[in-house]
Amino acid sequence: MLSEVDKWSQKYTWFRKMTVCFLVILISSVIGFFLTLSSTFISTACLIISFLSVLGIRIGLGKMDEFKSLYVNTVPMINPEKDFKEGRSLAENEELMLSKGVSADEVEAALEALVEEGQQLTQIEEIVVINESSQIEDVEVTEVEETQEETEVTEVEETQEETEAEKLDDVQEESAQQTLSLEEQVFETIKMILRMNHCEVENLSFKTVGKYLTIYLKSRVMMRLKLTGRKHYVLTYLSQAEVEALGLVFDTPAKSEAYTSRVQFTSIAVLAQLEAQIVELYNRLVK
């Protein structure tokens, strides 16, 4: 009988120590929360620890109050914190109980009822803790899944937008090239080549004179191309070896053309291969 009382006293002391420990943890977590506001992860962890500490304190205080109220109502003559101490022997505790007029049957019945209720409360608390833990895990899993879904949807939308924008740019470029005539395309390409080489193109102009497309720089002839008729070519001052070294097709110009070579014009890409020659012609007129 007395051994049960000692067990109750130990449990009561354990819950009191547990409550004090949770109180210390609560204070530490609150201080840690205010000191780590810059870190979202650590501050969130401190909040969770604070919540669990409050829960532990409430459980500990509740258990202590229940033990006190149940034991005092059943055996009001016994003070568990004073009458039953670990330092006393079983005989001393028994003599103390008899001197206070408390029967052994009453104490035993009260202790059995207390133990049963304590077991029931422990089971209920375990179920509550398990449910809360499962709810927290479910919330975290749901948040992670939602974040992943949002990220995937955002990436897909951005990819689709980029693809649509690229297609729109391509369509606009193709439509712009289709609306320009061949002469205008050649002129715009020459301007682009000169811009890439840091040349000013404000004074550039073009005009079709006879069968030739003539490029002017401040009313002075810079280049001539033939883009009509059976043969299309660019008139240059390059030699045959220089033309063939560029991978282009050489043709002998007419004496009236006053150039050293004809470079067969098959597409706009030919002008890109003649980039150095175009820049040189520009620099000659600028100097």
Side-chain angles (χ1 to χ4, degrees), residues 61-77:
L61 292 175
K63 293 287 290 184
M64 291 169 64
D65 291 338
E66 289 174 4
F67 284 152
K68 277 185 177 181
S69 62
L70 179 60
Y71 204 85
V72 169
N73 292 333
T74 306
V75 187
M77 291 73 70

Side-chain angles (χ1 to χ4, degrees), residues 224-268:
R224 279 188 175 177
L225 304 91
K226 183 176 178 298
L227 302 176
T228 59
R230 186 172 56 87
K231 291 184 178 182
H232 294 180
Y233 52 83
V234 182
L235 293 171
T236 69
Y237 293 103
L238 299 174
S239 64
Q240 181 177 355
E242 291 173 332
V243 172
E244 292 176 350
L246 295 173
L248 301 174
V249 179
F250 170 83
D251 192 11
T252 304
K255 293 182 180 181
S256 59
E257 290 176 335
Y259 285 87
T260 58
S261 61
R262 289 179 179 177
V263 176
Q264 184 176 346
F265 181 86
T266 55
S267 66
I268 298 294

Side-chain angles (χ1 to χ4, degrees), residues 74-121:
T74 306
V75 187
M77 291 73 70
I78 297 176
N79 186 351
E81 295 182 1
K82 295 181 179 179
D83 296 337
F84 297 99
K85 296 182 180 179
E86 295 181 359
R88 291 178 179 173
S89 63
L90 296 178
E92 290 176 350
N93 287 326
E94 186 176 0
E95 290 176 0
L96 181 60
M97 288 176 58
L98 292 174
S99 64
K100 291 190 176 185
V102 181
S103 65
D105 295 334
E106 290 177 352
V107 176
E108 187 175 1
L111 288 174
E112 289 178 356
L114 185 63
V115 171
E116 290 178 359
E117 185 173 354
Q119 292 176 353
Q120 293 177 358
L121 289 174

Side-chain angles (χ1 to χ4, degrees), residues 23 27 39 123 148 158-159 175 187 191 219-220 223 230 271 286:
L23 181 61
I27 296 172
S39 176
Q123 293 176 356
Q148 291 177 351
E158 290 178 353
T159 305
S175 61
F187 181 67
K191 287 172 64 177
S219 70
R220 299 175 64 185
M223 286 183 63
R230 186 172 56 87
L271 297 176
V286 170

Side-chain angles (χ1 to χ4, degrees), residues 165-212:
E166 291 176 356
K167 290 181 179 179
L168 182 60
D169 293 339
D170 294 339
V171 170
Q172 289 177 351
E173 290 179 0
E174 291 178 358
S175 61
Q177 291 179 356
Q178 290 176 359
T179 55
L180 294 176
S181 63
L182 180 59
E183 289 80 3
E184 291 173 337
Q185 292 181 32
V186 169
F187 181 67
E188 292 298 327
T189 303
I190 293 172
K191 287 172 64 177
M192 182 182 67
I193 291 172
L194 293 174
R195 284 197 196 100
M196 291 171 60
N197 289 274
H198 309 289
C199 299
E200 297 180 358
V201 297
E202 288 78 9
N203 296 321
L204 280 180
S205 61
F206 74 98
K207 184 178 180 182
T208 301
V209 180
K211 58 183 180 179
Y212 297 103

Side-chain angles (χ1 to χ4, degrees), residues 50-63:
S50 301
F51 172 76
L52 296 176
S53 300
V54 171
L55 183 62
I57 292 170
R58 292 187 62 183
I59 292 172
L61 292 175
K63 293 287 290 184

